[in-house]
Amino acid sequence: MLRFSTWKFFAIVAMTLAAVLVVAPSMLSPAHYEALKARLPSWLTPPTIVLGLDLQGGSHVMLEVDQADLVSTQVKNLRDDVRRILREEKVAITGGIGATPRGVQLRVADAADRDKILPKLRQLRNSFSSNIGGQSPLEVETTPEGLIRITVTDAGIRDKSRKAVEQSIEVIRRRVDALGTREPSIQRQGDDRVLVQVPGLQDPQTLKEILGQTAKLEFRLVAEPGQNPSEVEELEQVDEQGKLPIEKQVMVQGEDLTDAQPGFDQQRSGEPVVNFRFNIRGAQKFGDVTSKNVGRLFAIVLDNKVISAPRILTPITGGSGQISGHFTVEQANNLSILLRAGALPAKLNIVEERTVGPGLGQDSIDAGKRAAYVGAGLVVIYMLITYGIFGVFANLALFVHIAFIFAGLVLLGSTLTLPGIAGIVLTIGMAVDSNVLIYERIREENHAGRSILASLDAGFNRAFATIVDSNVTMFVAAAILYFLGSGPVRGFAVSLALGILTTIVTAVTMTRMMIAVWYHYARPTKLPI
């Protein structure tokens, strides 16, 4: 039973060599790795182990949905929807649409008009999730005097907050990726928070500037004297004192942008600008507005602040334009990143920020290395003293086991964190446990009077079921940690799961192969353990 087919032997050797080749680039210094990359084509660039925030330093930011801003936005949207329904049904009201802390109210004196619009007002709840625990997101109340009050409920606010977090994660990922960072971790935390960790980024201010803006871009006309005050609002200007009267109607929205790139104004001042391009729908809207309003001021509004308000000299029908606002090069670059990534669905406030310096990360690496070296060294010594030549086999299998784990981390693109190192150290002990179990079983069989070959065969076969059972239970625990945990806990679970899988290969198959080769050539007359 100790015979190994040739293909199994070469398969194991090939796997070992492949693992070493996969891991080798991660062992190079940054300078040597960059030199290696420069010599290889881009499609052949070898991946390396990605170190987590706790190992290489970086920025940690916790964002929370601004509930007040979210409610304010909902009230504004609700008012626009009610205004649209009144216009479609041609229903006149007295006193306008009033705002309440969580909704709007209007007075419709005519009962027939109320009956006409109430079903459509109640349908507004469809804009929320269809399943929020059986609770209604909107309450529509009426009084005999004709007052209609529409209020967003707590369930409605929670639903919008949850959706805002879901949509924000993708927008944040696009923004962070545009910074050129590697393997950022962006995770949901509860119903209204997002955790952003960017390993290697030592400039938290840039990250805060990128994440702290909603980046809601709008193109609106500057109001002319004599316009209805209810259709105009005063907005602050970014580069000039005072406010500018801007029409509330949004002519073109930033969501119609397809691209935004930093550049320089080649025709006039040469200052940094942002060049943008619309999709077909946006280009048509932009062309229509500029064609019908030649001579008027056209405001570019970002997050309710006027960046600039140039005059429309000629219709702009090409679907592209330029945003100028006395930017620095960095501001133009950041604005283009924000516009390309899209607007956040709600304002996010930074409630926690932390920067881990590279020095602290290096300390963690050094501590982890010391723990791994000491643990592995003691294990190697113990196995050599206790099991002699069989201990050598176990130690060789142990080194391959570690190489397999790191190769798995590289191929999966997982981030190695400090808890991940703890998981690897733990699996070192588990791998050796399997060998101890096998060797002790072999020793017992030999002491019972069996021959060496029979003892080896029985040791592996009878210990195998026990090894599999114990590793399966550990694997289930690792899977639970991965699916229910987050951040460092997941890193620990990944390392642990990889270690369990490779244990089966190295402690059982590889050790058995080495013992079979040894027995074939040594032909011992006495079991050396």
Side-chain angles (χ1 to χ4, degrees), residues 117-412:
I117 66 171
L118 276 173
K120 291 202 170 186
L121 292 177
R122 292 192 175 99
Q123 286 179 2
L124 292 177
R125 66 185 59 168
N126 294 336
S127 63
F128 292 78
S129 171
S130 57
N131 182 15
I132 50 177
Q135 302 177 57
S136 175
L138 280 181
E139 285 183 357
V140 181
E141 302 172 293
T142 60
T143 66
E145 293 77 21
L147 183 67
I148 301 175
R149 186 179 294 114
I150 308 171
T151 306
V152 183
T153 64
D154 289 342
I157 296 297
R158 284 198 301 273
D159 178 70
K160 285 295 181 185
S161 180
R162 182 177 54 79
K163 283 185 176 177
V165 168
E166 291 175 356
Q167 296 166 3
S168 297
I169 287 176
E170 186 55 36
V171 175
I172 291 171
R173 185 176 300 283
R174 288 199 293 266
R175 291 185 182 184
V176 175
D177 286 345
L179 290 174
T181 55
R182 195 172 173 208
E183 299 297 333
S185 172
I186 303 170
Q187 298 174 348
R188 180 190 194 120
Q189 298 283 309
D191 285 339
D192 59 353
R193 291 189 173 189
V194 181
L195 173 63
V196 182
Q197 292 181 324
V198 187
L201 182 65
Q202 299 300 328
D203 184 8
Q205 189 59 35
T206 300
L207 183 62
K208 286 164 59 181
E209 289 176 359
I210 288 295
L211 301 182
Q213 289 192 51
T214 306
K216 186 179 182 181
L217 182 70
E218 298 170 336
F219 295 85
R220 299 200 233 167
L221 290 168
V222 176
E224 294 185 319
Q227 275 193 246
N228 187 345
S230 64
E231 298 176 350
V232 178
E233 62 180 339
E234 300 280 338
L235 296 182
E236 292 182 2
Q237 301 182 77
V238 174
D239 293 322
E240 297 184 23
Q241 296 291 329
K243 296 183 177 180
L244 205 60
I246 305 294
E247 291 185 1
K248 289 183 178 178
Q249 183 181 4
V250 178
M251 296 301 180
V252 188
Q253 292 185 330
E255 62 186 25
D256 289 322
L257 288 177
T258 58
D259 192 20
Q261 296 292 339
F264 294 92
D265 188 347
Q266 303 291 346
Q267 298 179 350
R268 287 172 291 180
S269 59
E271 66 181 11
V273 296
V274 176
N275 299 307
F276 62 85
R277 188 170 67 250
F278 284 114
N279 57 20
I280 295 177
R281 184 182 66 175
Q284 289 177 342
K285 288 181 183 177
F286 201 70
D288 290 343
V289 174
T290 54
S291 299
K292 295 175 182 175
N293 296 278
V294 173
R296 293 189 61 179
L297 296 176
F298 200 27
I300 302 171
V301 181
L302 182 69
D303 293 343
N304 282 332
K305 290 185 178 179
V306 179
I307 294 179
S308 63
R311 189 174 299 279
I312 303 173
L313 299 177
T314 58
I316 304 172
T317 57
S320 60
Q322 189 177 82
I323 302 175
S324 59
H326 305 295
F327 300 129
T328 63
V329 173
E330 183 180 5
Q331 287 172 331
N333 185 55
N334 287 347
L335 180 57
S336 64
I337 289 174
L338 294 176
L339 297 182
R340 285 200 303 274
L344 290 169
K347 183 180 179 183
L348 299 177
N349 294 325
I350 297 174
V351 295
E352 180 187 343
E353 60 175 289
R354 192 166 67 242
T355 302
V356 179
L360 184 58
Q362 188 60 45
D363 289 345
S364 300
I365 293 175
D366 294 340
K369 282 182 177 178
R370 280 197 297 273
Y373 291 155
V374 171
L378 291 176
V379 167
V380 167
I381 294 171
Y382 173 81
M383 294 301 289
L384 287 175
I385 293 175
T386 309
Y387 298 108
I389 185 67
F390 279 29
V392 174
F393 300 147
N395 290 333
L396 289 174
L398 185 62
F399 288 121
V400 176
H401 163 77
I402 296 172
F404 279 176
I405 293 178
F406 281 113
L409 291 173
V410 173
L411 295 177
L412 292 176

Side-chain angles (χ1 to χ4, degrees), residues 65-81 101-104 128 152 157 160 164 214 216 218 304 344-347:
V65 175
D66 188 323
Q67 295 289 340
D69 182 73
L70 187 71
V71 172
S72 173
T73 302
Q74 290 309 305
V75 171
K76 183 181 176 183
N77 293 340
L78 202 54
R79 185 170 54 198
D80 292 342
D81 288 336
R102 280 199 174 185
V104 297
F128 292 78
V152 183
I157 296 297
K160 285 295 181 185
T214 306
K216 186 179 182 181
E218 298 170 336
N304 282 332
L344 290 169
K347 183 180 179 183

